[in-house]
Amino acid sequence: MFALVDVNSFYASCEIVFRPDLQGRPVAVLSNNDGCVIACSAETKKLGIRTGAPYFKYRDLFLRHNVVCFSSNYELYADMSDRVMTTLEEMVPRLEIYSIDEAFCDLTGIRNCRVLEDFGREIKEAVYRNTHLRVGVGIAQTKTLAKLANHAAKKWTKTGGVVDLSNIERQRKLMSLFPVDEVWGVGRRISKKLDAMGIKTVLDLADTHISVIRKHFNVVLERTVRELRGEPCLELEEFAPVKQEIVCSRSFGERITEYEQMRQAICAYAARGAEKLRGEHQYCRFISTFVKTSPFALNEPYYGNSVGVRLLTPTQDSRDIINAAIRCLDVIWRDGHRYQKAGIMLGDFFSQGIAQLNLFDDNAPRAGCEKLMEVLDRLNAKDGRGTLYFAGQGIQQQWQMKREMLSPRYTTRYSDLLVVR
DNA sequence: TCTGGGGTCCTAGGACCC
DNA sequence: TCTGGGGTCCTAGGACCC
């Protein structure tokens, strides 16, 4: 038995917690670079805003309705997320943190001694007490059904934000009310194809023969269908599996046209990627760089390219990773384009112990590099990032992303603490 | 003018082996 | 003229998630 707990309009709600004057008012949070609308308070949703749509298309509408906009403040959201997850961890035996604002809880044992819906309300109240954030709780036999139950809890306010869907009749009734694209794992492409096959509601999908699903789709959708029928195919993953790749990429605040600017950006992303890699206690052997112009610009030719290198020995040294990333950049860089975005990717990971030296490798790992990297990370962890950085990252960083409506980092910086007068 | 960032899994097809 | 069968590994691309 699973419960899916997720925070209502998470990013927007975090902003409102520290700005009580905004309660009941339309609030929106924008993606990096203030590019897209990625979260809306309930009042903003009522205006018919589609999350994921570009901000500039809504600018007039927002102005007319006095929508308060914020740039993404991930430092704040990550810290608020920790507080929510800690609360949940104290209440359930096993927890899977699925994303920054969602977690699956294992309710298997709890079912024996508690009415699940009551327990769901208790979770809600505890999270509100500790964080002033409101959550929805969906309960069912499988993760996919719990997701659906959570959907229902959000959609119908009379549920009080908690839906226990373990009853089969209730499941079927609810499934008949939802269109198929609301199912976890059914995106735009698949729902379109299903629609063409006459499979419109979630119940239609649940009642479709497995053989039909396998013929037209794949095992992923098969699992989804089985889960909708109450047959668990996905387990609770309490411990995050080891990462298989690390990506660091950003859109630029202003288009890049100069090689030197791009080199700085790639150097900065590579340094950040290396830091993440060490945070995972991994070594990587594959490093790649990509650059691209805007796919939306109609009056300039699109250029996007990527190239990667495989090192002889795995590394976690920022200097090796920066070096490799810049070498890749030099292969794909073309003058004359207005670059909109670039990034680096690390892959082919090895864990500390098993980094094999190549028999014919003549650049053996640098001595003492682990100590050096440790010092680097420790210094940078102390007060945010950027105490110590590589010269190649540049000092001016004209390419930095735009965040013109950033809120204070209320919970993670002394300088940004909320002042009550 | 202005369109995020970071992941996972699966599949098909090519290269290569005996 | 005629060109097998079975397997592995890797990669690129598609689809999805938040």
Side-chain angles (χ1 to χ4, degrees), chain A residues 243-246 277 282-288 307-317 320-321 324-325 327-328 345-351 354-359 361 363:
Chain A
K243 274 204 206 317
Q244 299 184 32
E245 60 179 37
I246 287 173
L277 183 68
Q282 296 284 311
Y283 292 68
C284 76
R285 227 177 52 165
F286 179 76
I287 296 155
S288 73
V307 79
V309 286
R310 198 168 298 277
L311 305 179
L312 287 169
T313 48
T315 183
Q316 58 165 197
D317 190 307
D320 296 335
I321 291 171
R327 268 188 291 141
C328 293
M345 198 184 101
L346 310 178
D348 199 2
F349 292 169
F350 292 75
S351 66
I354 57 167
Q356 281 282 343
L357 256 186
N358 189 298
L359 181 59
D361 192 3
N363 10 298

Side-chain angles (χ1 to χ4, degrees), chain A residues 2-8 84-85 87-89 91-92 95-107 119-128 133-139 143 146-147 149-151 153-154 161-162:
Chain A
F2 297 94
L4 176 68
V5 180
D6 89 328
V7 183
N8 302 352
V84 172
M85 299 307 171
T87 304
L88 297 178
E89 264 160 3
M91 299 185 71
V92 299
L95 188 77
E96 173 186 339
I97 298 173
Y98 178 68
S99 76
I100 193 163
D101 74 329
E102 286 176 71
F104 286 102
C105 306
D106 178 10
L107 298 190
F119 186 68
R121 290 188 204 293
E122 209 170 287
I123 289 179
K124 237 179 103 70
E125 284 154 22
V127 173
Y128 186 74
L133 293 169
R134 294 186 194 283
V135 297
V137 182
I139 299 166
K143 283 180 156 183
K147 268 271 192 189
N150 181 284
H151 235 31
K154 289 258 172 81
V162 180

Side-chain angles (χ1 to χ4, degrees), chain A residues 372-389:
Chain A
L372 178 64
M373 291 299 124
E374 244 181 77
V375 171
L376 177 71
D377 290 339
R378 208 166 44 235
L379 277 171
N380 284 337
K382 229 174 183 171
D383 186 28
R385 262 155 233 129
T387 308
L388 209 57
Y389 57 93

